[in-house]
């Protein structure tokens, strides 16, 4: 029986654990929290993320929890268009899903070959040629043919195996919330919920999760929004943070003010936006009869501006499942670990580069710089977004 230890029970870890188990592996899933749970927010899945879910055998039922996201253009805080809405080809259209709905689907796909252990914070890593890969928390050790580090941007496994990859601030903070339909504001037809507004170091994006009165198979419908502001995260209580957001976005076009007014402090989830610079030089580390791989944010954490973090994690999971499906411990599995790295790192480098370019555009500040950005944005943003959309649409899981 081939064995695997997956460190981290986020989206990438759950997807990987379930995929390996369905391929005949015996999997131990380690989670440092007291239980396996998801944020009370939502996320955007681009076509590559959707395609990866299907490759993992998790695409069935996605339509019931996903809402298509139209291209609604980009406005300035004064309401004028920076980028006009454009038709989106069907193969490039993203969808938005509630994280808890996706989490439930991933947990349901784990099966009985996955043993979940919570309250395990990995602190030690062993990855040497003479011994099986092993991780430990100071009390217990967990060894297997394959160790998958899906433990996020602060990955203890990555710090041990790729110490040159450093976590740095992206220069901004983000706030997310989902307003449930029963509390969401009633808006006129000419004030659509979905949209993006971009200012001097500030950004606000909103999207509908299903339709009012019908959440399409999910009990978690509503309006999802993300606000981004240049600077560090805020230490104040959620109520104070929400008051700040209402002040920062007070003069922005509708329905931003309505959405913030309908948001309650307990809805708010703050995130310090961080990234890896530089990326690890390898995502696979052969050891013993198998090895260790980095997956998700532990491998390629990036700003959220292009919405590719979760999508790349799902790509990682689908790729890993493909390369290890028939690999047995020994030379075949060691080669599969190296093959995973060869397939995934160039892809991650490309997407991270696109994200950093968009980050530079979004965080422009200063009057002259803003004028130059706004004048060029109609050309720059569609080109960057088009490039990202093309990369997302073209990805296919390896055979």
């Amino acid at each position: 029986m081939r064995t695997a230890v997956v460190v981290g029970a986020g989206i990438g870890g759950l997807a990987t654990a379930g995929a390996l188990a369905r391929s005949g592996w015996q999997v131990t899933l380690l989670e440092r929290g007291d239980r396996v749970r998801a944020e009370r927010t939502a996320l955007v899945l681009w076509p590559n993320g959707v395609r990866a879910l299907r490759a993992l055998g998790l695409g069935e039922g996605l339509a019931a929890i996903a809402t298509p996201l139209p291209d609604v253009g980009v406005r300035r805080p004064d309401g004028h268009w920076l980028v006009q809405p454009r038709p989106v080809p069907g193969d490039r259209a993203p969808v938005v899903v509630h994280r808890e709905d996706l989490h439930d689907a991933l947990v349901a796909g784990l099966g009985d070959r996955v043993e979940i252990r919570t309250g395990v914070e990995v602190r030690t890593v062993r990855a040497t040629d003479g011994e099986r890969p092993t991780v430990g928390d100071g009390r217990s050790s967990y060894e297997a043919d394959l160790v998958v580090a899906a433990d996020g941007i602060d990955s203890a496994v990555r710090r041990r195996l790729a110490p040159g990859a450093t976590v740095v601030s992206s220069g901004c903070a983000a706030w997310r919330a989902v307003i449930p339909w029963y509390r969401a504001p009633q808006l006129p037809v000419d004030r659509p919920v979905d949209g993006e507004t971009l200012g001097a170091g500030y950004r606000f994006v909103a999207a509908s999760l299903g339709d009012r009165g019908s959440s399409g198979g999910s009990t978690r419908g509503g309006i999802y929004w993300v606000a981004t502001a240049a600077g560090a995260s805020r230490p104040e209580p959620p109520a104070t943070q929400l008051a700040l957001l209402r002040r920062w976005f007070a003069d922005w076009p509708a329905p931003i003010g309505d959405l913030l007014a309908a948001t309650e402090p307990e809805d708010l989830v703050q995130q310090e936006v961080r990234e890896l610079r530089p990326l690890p030089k390898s995502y696979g580390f052969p050891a013993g009869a198998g090895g260790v791989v980095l997956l998700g944010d532990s491998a390629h954490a990036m700003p959220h501006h292009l919405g590719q973090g979760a999508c790349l994690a799902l790509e990682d999971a689908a790729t890993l499942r493909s390369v290890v499906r028939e690999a047995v411990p020994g030379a075949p599995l060691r080669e599969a670990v190296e093959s995973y790295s060869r397939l995934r790192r160039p892809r991650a480098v490309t997407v991270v580069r696109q994200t950093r370019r968009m980050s530079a555009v979004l965080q422009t500040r200063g009057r002259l710089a803003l004028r130059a950005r706004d004048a060029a944005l109609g050309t720059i943003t569609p080109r960057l977004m088009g490039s990202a959309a093309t990369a997302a649409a073209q990805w296919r899981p390896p055979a």
Side-chain angles (χ1 to χ4, degrees), residues 62-263:
L62 181 62
I65 62 173
T67 304
L69 194 61
D71 184 344
V72 290
V74 182
R75 293 182 182 271
R76 294 191 319 208
D78 61 6
H80 287 85
W81 288 109
L82 284 170
V83 181
Q84 293 279 351
R86 301 181 180 205
V88 181
D91 64 344
R92 295 190 181 186
V95 298
V96 59
V97 297
H98 200 292
R99 280 182 176 267
E100 290 180 323
D101 286 332
L102 182 58
H103 175 270
D104 288 351
L106 295 175
V107 169
L110 291 178
D112 57 7
R113 287 181 179 270
V114 178
E115 178 188 4
I116 302 175
R117 298 195 180 187
T118 57
V120 178
E121 184 173 358
V122 168
R123 300 176 185 274
T124 62
V125 183
R126 186 180 69 205
T128 59
D129 276 341
E131 300 176 284
R132 299 176 84 202
T134 304
V135 295
D137 65 351
R139 302 185 305 272
S140 302
S141 295
Y142 305 87
E143 67 175 38
D145 301 313
L146 177 68
V147 171
V148 181
D151 47 345
I153 189 171
D154 294 311
S155 169
V157 180
R158 187 202 62 248
R159 288 200 302 269
R160 164 67 174 79
L161 299 179
T166 305
V167 178
V168 299
S169 172
S170 298
C172 60
W175 290 261
R176 293 177 168 85
V178 172
I179 308 168
W181 280 126
Y182 72 85
R183 198 164 16 94
Q186 292 278 359
L187 301 173
V189 177
D190 62 348
R191 290 163 63 188
V193 168
D194 303 279
E196 175 178 352
T197 309
L198 181 62
Y202 294 85
R203 183 191 191 197
F204 196 97
V205 182
S208 300
L209 287 164
D211 299 319
R212 189 184 296 272
S214 173
S215 49
S218 165
T219 59
R220 304 184 178 108
I223 300 175
Y224 169 56
W225 61 257
V226 183
T228 307
S233 56
R234 305 294 303 200
E236 298 90 349
T240 305
Q241 294 177 27
L242 185 55
L244 285 170
L245 290 168
R246 289 169 177 166
R247 187 177 74 197
W248 291 340
F249 295 96
D251 299 324
W252 286 43
I256 293 173
D258 302 286
L259 298 180
L260 290 172
T263 302

Side-chain angles (χ1 to χ4, degrees), residues 43-64:
L43 58 84
V44 173
L45 290 178
W46 288 81
N48 54 321
V50 173
R51 194 171 291 120
L53 277 174
R54 290 175 177 155
L56 291 165
L58 298 168
E60 189 173 337
L62 181 62

Side-chain angles (χ1 to χ4, degrees), residues 19-30:
L20 291 175
R22 290 189 297 277
S23 299
W25 291 68
Q26 186 65 42
V27 181
T28 301
L29 178 61
L30 306 179

